């Protein structure tokens, strides 16, 4: 029986389970085919941990210097490597998201596997939604898990280095609010990397389904052309500023730490909750929905390359 028709099943207990199977297996397919989704951030996290392990030879000396500072600057000095780890891993998954979206619909047309997938009882809407789930949900959650595990390993390595040199670990653990850091990281990834970047992912997927070749070029040229025309015609840069704000996460999003302050304290004036309820977020989600709807239609009628 067609699993997508199971929604109309007379058995109400089986209908919800059967209705989710096409989307579930379509998402599983993406994870099977695009292993870089998890290999790239794991490789970056491993490389960062390797460098952090080497830095442990100088960590007791840095810790002694931190103990001489006031509590605010002391927290900033101790938390800095942990926030750097989060930024590096988030940067890696952001790049992975860009290239995944550019390849998501184009690759199946290029290798003609779209003919096989279209022969299955899975609609174009389900296929596009499953691919959109990766940058919107999978990658933010994966980034969160990898980052938290990396930060805890960093904490354990730092504690071992201090104990090996006869120093107390009380200050280190006190100045690292791991639960609060993880909570803020989770909110930032879901709200900014998932929802606020949604129109970016939607646009890249639409271009991926439409372009025959040079997908990166076709994705970059229209925004560039709009910015150039606006600058020449009106002498303004509103479109470029809007794109810059979108990529940077918006003025309401968590910002980079101010020099000399603890990253967690410096970022407290802008929260993901403020961004979640902002007009920019709502407009962006509406634009993303339009892009994804257009991508569904494009996939329905676009032929293999």
């Amino acid at each position: 029986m067609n699993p997508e028709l199971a929604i109309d099943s007379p058995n109400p207990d089986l209908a919800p389970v059967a209705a989710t199977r096409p989307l579930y297996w379509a998402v599983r397919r993406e994870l099977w085919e695009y292993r870089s989704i998890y290999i790239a951030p794991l490789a970056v996290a491993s490389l960062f941990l390797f460098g952090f392990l080497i830095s442990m030879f100088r960590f007791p000396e840095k810790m002694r210097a931190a103990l001489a500072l006031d509590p605010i600057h002391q927290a900033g000095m101790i938390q800095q490597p942990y926030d750097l780890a989060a930024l590096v891993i988030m940067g890696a998954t952001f790049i992975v998201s860009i290239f995944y979206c550019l390849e998501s619909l184009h690759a199946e047309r290029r290798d003609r596997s779209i003919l096989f997938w279209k022969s299955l009882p899975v609609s174009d809407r389900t296929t596009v939604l499953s691919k959109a789930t990766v940058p919107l949900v999978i990658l933010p959650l994966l980034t969160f898990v990898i980052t938290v595990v990396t930060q805890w390993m960093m904490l354990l390595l730092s504690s071992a280095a201090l104990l090996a040199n006869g120093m107390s670990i009380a200050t280190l653990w006190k100045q690292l609010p791991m639960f609060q850091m993880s909570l803020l990281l989770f909110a930032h990834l879901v709200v900014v990397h998932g929802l606020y970047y949604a129109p970016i992912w939607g646009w890249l997927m639409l271009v991926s389904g439409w372009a025959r070749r040079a997908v990166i070029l076709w994705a970059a040229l229209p925004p560039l052309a709009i910015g150039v025309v606006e600058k020449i015609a009106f002498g303004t840069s509103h479109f470029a500023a809007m794109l810059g704000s979108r990529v940077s996460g918006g003025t309401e999003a968590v910002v980079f730490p101010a020099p000399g302050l603890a990253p967690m304290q410096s970022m407290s004036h802008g929260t993901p909750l403020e961004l979640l309820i902002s007009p920019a977020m709502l407009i962006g989600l509406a634009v993303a929905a339009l892009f994804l709807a257009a991508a569904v239609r494009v996939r329905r009628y676009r032929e293999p390359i």
Side-chain angles (χ1 to χ4, degrees):
M1 183 177 68
N2 187 335
E4 290 197 327
L5 299 179
I7 301 176
D8 300 324
S9 172
N11 189 337
D13 296 328
L14 297 179
V17 178
T20 59
R21 284 178 181 172
L23 182 60
Y24 169 77
W25 287 108
V27 173
R28 289 286 299 270
R29 186 195 85 176
E30 298 304 310
L31 298 179
W32 290 333
E33 289 191 348
Y34 296 93
R35 297 184 178 180
S36 60
I37 291 173
Y38 50 88
I39 290 179
L42 283 174
V44 171
S46 300
L47 184 62
F48 189 92
L49 275 176
F50 178 73
F52 186 78
L53 178 61
I54 296 177
S55 71
M56 286 297 96
F57 292 102
R58 297 181 290 107
F59 183 71
E61 179 182 347
K62 293 177 61 177
M63 194 63 186
R64 293 188 184 95
L67 293 175
L69 301 175
D70 60 90
I72 294 179
H73 290 82
Q74 183 182 94
M77 186 174 182
I78 293 175
Q79 293 178 20
Q80 186 178 20
Y82 296 81
D83 288 276
L84 179 60
L87 288 173
V88 170
I89 298 173
M90 284 191 294
T93 52
F94 179 74
I95 295 174
V96 169
S97 297
I98 291 176
F99 282 96
Y100 168 81
C101 291
L102 289 172
E103 280 288 302
S104 58
L105 296 173
H106 186 263
E108 63 179 10
R109 293 168 52 228
R110 186 177 61 243
D111 60 19
R112 295 181 174 267
S113 63
I114 189 174
L115 299 175
F116 169 75
W117 297 118
K118 279 183 172 291
S119 67
L120 299 179
V122 180
S123 66
D124 297 292
R125 181 180 60 183
T126 299
T127 300
V128 171
L129 288 179
S130 68
K131 293 178 181 295
T133 300
V134 173
L136 291 173
V137 180
I138 302 297
L139 275 169
L141 295 180
L142 183 64
T143 304
F144 171 75
V145 172
I146 293 176
T147 302
V148 169
V149 171
T150 300
Q151 290 177 337
W152 273 102
M153 293 181 67
M154 292 168 61
L155 179 58
L156 294 178
L157 288 173
S158 301
S159 301
L162 292 178
L163 291 175
N165 285 268
M167 299 178 62
S168 172
I169 62 174
T171 302
L172 175 66
W173 284 72
K174 179 182 178 181
Q175 295 290 8
L176 283 173
M178 298 298 288
F179 177 76
Q180 292 88 335
M181 291 171 64
S182 299
L183 186 62
L184 181 58
L185 175 66
F186 179 79
H188 176 80
L189 286 169
V190 172
V191 175
V192 178
H193 287 247
L195 300 179
Y196 197 71
Y197 288 165
I200 299 177
W201 312 140
W203 166 251
L204 296 180
M205 290 183 64
L206 174 58
V207 176
S208 177
W210 175 83
R212 293 185 61 86
R213 56 182 62 87
V215 184
I216 298 179
L217 189 62
W218 282 110
L221 275 180
L224 180 62
I226 294 175
V228 171
V229 170
E230 180 196 355
K231 186 66 176 178
I232 295 175
F234 305 104
T236 60
S237 302
H238 298 305
F239 185 77
M242 182 272 294
L243 287 182
S245 176
R246 181 67 55 173
V247 173
S248 66
T251 56
E252 300 89 348
V254 175
V255 296
F256 291 102
L261 292 181
M264 297 298 295
Q265 296 171 350
S266 177
M267 292 190 294
S268 62
H269 76 272
T271 66
L273 179 59
E274 296 176 11
L275 181 62
L276 186 62
I277 60 178
S278 67
M281 172 67 79
L282 300 178
I283 294 173
L285 292 177
V287 172
L290 292 176
F291 284 152
L292 291 178
V296 172
R297 190 166 184 83
V298 165
R299 187 182 188 271
R300 184 174 301 157
Y301 297 107
R302 206 66 171 168
E303 298 294 330
I305 301 174

